[in-house]
């Protein structure tokens, strides 16, 4: 059997070329090969993820949910109520950023979410692919493959780089999620595997150096709005790549750069709640009484 | 169950109750494992939280996740949010104690003491090591180490010659292949735990057979 167990983007792209497959199809073949499971079983699990994602994107947009830490709650609903005349992002991106707020709100209020790749960055991927699915003529099968495409990029980042804020900052969490979403959007809109990787690389480079500075150590501020930037950045990167704009830095190198930059960040900016926004006096005053 | 590769669903997943894989999902899993090991139904559970758990447990719902796990809820169960109410309904008294003083090996550490009215008690120390993965490092006063990522058989016994040979022979009879096996003991000749991790499911009959052996006092199986 052909070895679908690719280790990096270069090997992934060469498998795509050799077999004339999309990124999602190569990832699916890898999962079937290594997991000893059927395509149908994987798709069932993908459907379960999509079902949970759909729930987490919608619940908070319809009605405000207060977070456990008390720093956020109701933002998705506020965006939902924004008059059309004041929307400047366009319908699909508006929807995506609203969904990403909603997932962060669901997460912070102990609702059920799908980590993608982490809980703190869980809003980006579902927001992008579900908004595209709602607004464009895209089948459920393409949506499923989009999520698997995002998983392929996430796998490479996890294997060769980092998806942990404590290790490499928010660039490793929301940055990785943005890269995964950008690649998924490109594939869902008919782009090539190379364009997917350019989109992912552009998305990562745009958030390069982003620090992890959660106020009070909670997954609320600035995590929630960072998810919206991850989502809108993914849309932008996908649009650039679909137009044929390329990243001079290949994705494999960009993943390594994120790791290197992450390790160069001071420890106060790596999920310790001791620097960045977490150290701002105003936001700390905001949550007086959220502990005991 | 554990895989030796990074799966699609390690990246798109886990499906979990938020907000944190380490502070919420992992906490629920540790308490869930303690509940699997505890004989019967606990009527009182005391959680002692250390390190980062002690610092940020309220905002991460770590207390609710722990209580939910002790009630037998998995880490994706939405009942976790209202775990205090469910514990009250179930007649389970819960106490959460943040301990900022005691030094521990891992920042996300919890001690779980489960007790019932029949005099059973079990102390489990667990660590939430990231991404929802956990490690149990103490059972009662014995240092142990297992993750629950495999099918896990935990045999409590006296540290006597022949006990481990008996356990492994029974496993062989049931065609259960051992991935890892470790013996943890209090002291020579005293109480011990043999922990066996396997890729395969551990049949129920095996537990009953093992309990017939004189020096074996308890048998627990953890299957995810």
């Amino acid at each position: 059997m052909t070895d679908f167990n690719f280790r990096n983007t270069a090997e992934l792209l060469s498998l795509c070329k050799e077999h004339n497959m999309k990124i999602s199809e190569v990832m699916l073949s890898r999962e079937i090969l290594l997991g000893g499971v059927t395509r149908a079983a994987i798709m069932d699990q993908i459907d379960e993820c999509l079902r949970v994602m759909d729930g987490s994107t919608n619940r908070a947009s319809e009605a405000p949910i207060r977070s456990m830490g008390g720093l956020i709650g109701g933002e998705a609903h506020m965006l939902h109520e924004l008059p059309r005349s004041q929307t400047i992002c366009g319908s699909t991106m508006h929807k995506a950023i609203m969904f990403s707020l909603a997932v962060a709100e669901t997460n912070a209020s102990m609702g059920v979410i799908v980590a993608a790749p982490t809980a703190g960055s869980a809003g980006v991927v579902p927001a992008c692919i579900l908004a595209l699915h709602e607004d464009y003529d895209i089948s459920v099968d393409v949506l499923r493959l989009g999520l698997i495409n995002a998983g392929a990029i996430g796998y490479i980042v996890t294997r060769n780089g980092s998806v942990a804020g404590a290790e490499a900052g928010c660039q490793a969490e929301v940055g990785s999620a943005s890269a995964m979403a950008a690649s998924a959007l490109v594939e869902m809109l008919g782009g090539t595997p190379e364009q997917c990787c350019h989109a992912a690389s552009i998305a990562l480079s745009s958030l390069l150096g982003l620090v992890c500075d959660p106020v009070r150590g909670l997954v609320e501020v600035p995590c929630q709005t960072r998810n919206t930037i991850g989502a809108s950045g993914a849309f932008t990167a996908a649009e650039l790549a679909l137009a044929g704009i390329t990243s001079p830095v290949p994705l494999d190198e960009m993943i390594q750069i994120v790791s290197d930059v992450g390790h160069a960040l001071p420890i106060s900016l790596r999920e310790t709640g001791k620097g960045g926004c977490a150290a701002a006096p105003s936001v700390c005053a905001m949550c007086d009484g959220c502990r005991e | 169950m554990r895989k030796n590769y990074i799966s699609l669903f390690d990246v798109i997943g886990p499906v979990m109750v938020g907000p944190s894989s380490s502070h919420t999902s992992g906490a629920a899993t540790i308490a869930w494992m303690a509940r699997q090991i505890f004989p019967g139904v606990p009527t009182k559970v005391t959680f002692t939280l250390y390190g980062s758990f002690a610092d940020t447990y309220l905002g991460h719902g770590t207390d609710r996740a722990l209580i939910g796990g002790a009630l037998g809820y998995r880490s994706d169960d939405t009942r976790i949010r209202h775990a205090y109410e469910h514990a009250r309904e179930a007649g389970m008294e819960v106490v959460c104690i943040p301990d900022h003083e005691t030094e521990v090996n891992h920042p996300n550490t919890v001690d779980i003491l489960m007790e019932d009215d029949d005099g059973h008690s079990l102390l489990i120390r667990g660590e939430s090591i990231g991404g929802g993965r956990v490690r149990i490092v103490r059972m009662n006063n014995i240092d142990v180490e297992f993750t629950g990522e495999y099918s896990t058989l935990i045999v409590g016994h006296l540290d006597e010659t022949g006990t481990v040979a008996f356990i492994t022979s029974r496993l062989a009879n049931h065609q259960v292949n051992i991935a890892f096996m470790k013996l943890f003991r209090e002291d020579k000749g005293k109480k011990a735990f043999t922990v066996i991790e396997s890729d395969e499911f551990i049949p129920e009959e095996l537990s009953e057979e093992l309990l017939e052996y004189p020096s074996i006092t308890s048998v627990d199986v953890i299957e995810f």
Side-chain angles (χ1 to χ4, degrees):
Chain A
M1 196 187 285
T2 316
D3 187 10
F4 278 102
N5 193 13
F6 57 92
R7 291 168 296 181
N8 51 43
T9 313
E11 291 182 6
L12 169 63
L13 288 175
S14 99
L15 283 166
C16 288
K17 196 169 177 189
E18 187 186 335
H19 298 280
N20 191 26
M21 280 178 165
K22 295 175 186 174
I23 286 178
S24 57
E25 288 166 335
V26 172
M27 185 65 181
L28 199 49
S29 302
R30 174 182 181 271
E31 198 68 20
I32 292 168
L33 177 78
L34 297 180
V37 286
T38 62
R39 184 189 169 100
I42 295 166
M43 287 305 185
D44 282 350
Q45 211 172 333
I46 284 290
D47 283 347
E48 172 61 12
C49 289
L50 286 169
R51 190 188 62 75
V52 173
M53 285 176 164
D54 194 49
S56 65
T57 50
N58 280 314
R59 207 163 64 97
S61 342
E62 282 151 20
I65 315 177
R66 194 176 154 73
S67 70
M68 296 302 296
L71 298 181
I72 63 168
E75 292 78 10
H77 184 65
M78 287 165 77
L79 207 59
H80 188 260
E81 300 301 301
L82 180 72
R84 260 294 146 88
S85 60
Q86 286 184 299
T87 299
I88 53 173
C89 288
S91 156
T92 313
M93 201 193 283
H94 173 82
K95 203 170 271 179
I97 61 179
M98 179 177 74
F99 285 170
S100 64
L101 287 174
V103 176
E105 219 169 304
T106 301
N107 184 51
S109 62
M110 303 196 83
V112 186
I113 55 99
V114 184
T118 63
S121 61
V124 179
V125 170
C128 292
I129 64 172
L130 291 172
L132 194 73
H133 175 63
E134 273 194 20
D135 276 15
Y136 285 65
D137 185 22
I138 281 169
S139 69
V140 175
D141 205 44
V142 170
L143 174 67
R144 291 179 180 126
L145 291 173
L147 185 55
I148 294 170
N149 174 301
I153 303 301
Y155 150 66
I156 295 172
V157 179
T158 305
R159 189 181 194 285
N160 302 333
S162 173
V163 296
E167 198 182 329
C170 193
Q171 52 164 5
E173 297 211 19
V174 168
S176 299
S178 188
M180 291 160 66
S183 172
L185 291 172
V186 170
E187 184 179 305
M188 289 168 76
L189 290 166
T192 65
E194 287 77 10
Q195 287 175 326
C196 290
C197 292
H198 283 301
S201 182
I202 291 167
L204 266 185
S205 71
S206 306
L207 294 174
L208 191 65
L210 190 63
V211 303
C212 179
D213 51 352
V215 173
R216 291 238 167 177
L218 304 174
V219 194
E220 300 191 7
V221 173
C223 318
Q224 185 189 33
T225 47
R226 290 247 171 94
N227 272 267
T228 67
I229 299 301
S232 52
F235 271 76
T236 307
E239 188 135 325
L240 296 181
L242 283 163
I245 297 167
T246 58
S247 165
V249 183
L251 183 53
D252 284 327
E253 286 180 34
M254 190 57 73
I255 291 168
Q256 185 58 48
I257 290 166
V258 169
S259 265
D260 294 345
V261 169
H263 290 129
L265 289 173
I267 194 75
S268 63
L269 300 175
R270 287 193 258 159
E271 210 180 326
T272 50
K274 296 201 165 100
C277 292
S282 306
V283 283
C284 290
M286 224 170 86
C287 59
D288 262 1
C290 74
R291 289 174 79 190
E292 273 131 325
Chain B
M1 215 175 293
R2 191 178 167 81
K3 305 168 292 285
N4 56 4
Y5 67 99
I6 301 168
S7 151
L8 170 60
F9 298 104
D10 292 326
V11 183
I12 307 296
V15 175
M16 54 170 271
V17 166
S20 162
S21 56
S22 55
H23 287 64
T24 319
S25 179
T29 301
I30 292 170
W32 180 85
M33 284 169 72
R35 176 65 188 267
Q36 304 308 302
I37 298 168
F38 187 77
V41 181
T43 49
K44 182 177 182 188
V45 186
T46 310
F47 303 99
T48 310
L49 299 102
Y50 304 100
S52 172
F53 268 7
D55 291 338
T56 64
Y57 76 99
L58 285 174
H60 282 125
T62 309
D63 49 342
R64 295 166 195 243
L66 287 166
I67 295 164
L71 286 163
Y73 305 164
R74 302 303 308 269
S75 57
D76 63 349
D77 193 321
T78 49
R79 289 177 294 178
I80 284 175
R81 188 183 160 95
H82 301 290
Y84 279 102
E85 290 88 324
H86 295 305
R88 205 174 306 124
E89 284 158 20
M92 191 176 89
E93 184 190 346
V94 292
V95 186
C96 288
I97 307 165
D99 178 341
H100 300 277
E101 311 304 322
T102 309
E103 296 272 327
V104 287
N105 293 327
H106 192 279
N108 299 328
T109 298
V110 60
D111 280 344
I112 303 173
L113 176 65
M114 289 187 170
E115 297 165 285
D116 70 8
D117 297 336
D118 300 328
H120 294 114
S121 91
L122 170 74
L123 179 78
I124 290 280
R125 171 169 288 188
E127 299 171 346
S128 182
I129 56 177
R133 296 176 56 220
V134 305
R135 187 159 58 204
I136 303 298
V137 295
R138 190 176 293 169
M139 283 177 62
N140 296 325
N141 50 357
I142 299 178
D143 289 335
V144 298
E145 191 184 331
F146 58 91
T147 62
E149 289 173 17
Y150 297 80
S151 292
T152 307
L153 176 71
I154 303 158
V155 184
H157 57 88
L158 295 172
D159 182 32
E160 285 178 4
T161 313
T163 310
V164 172
F166 175 76
I167 298 168
T168 53
S169 69
R170 292 288 103 191
L171 282 164
N173 277 2
H174 283 280
Q175 310 273 313
V176 177
N177 185 41
I178 298 171
F180 296 101
M181 179 168 111
K182 270 187 193 158
L183 174 86
F184 305 94
R185 62 185 189 176
E186 203 171 38
D187 218 335
K188 194 177 175 188
K190 294 197 176 164
K191 281 183 194 161
F193 287 109
T194 291
V195 176
I196 287 160
E197 296 173 301
S198 171
D199 300 311
E200 287 133 44
F201 284 99
I202 295 167
E204 271 180 40
E205 313 90 80
L206 179 68
S207 304
E208 290 154 29
E209 288 174 30
L210 290 176
L211 279 169
E212 285 168 16
Y213 195 77
S215 64
I216 292 178
T217 52
S218 68
V219 179
D220 292 288
V221 176
I222 299 177
E223 303 270 14
F224 274 85

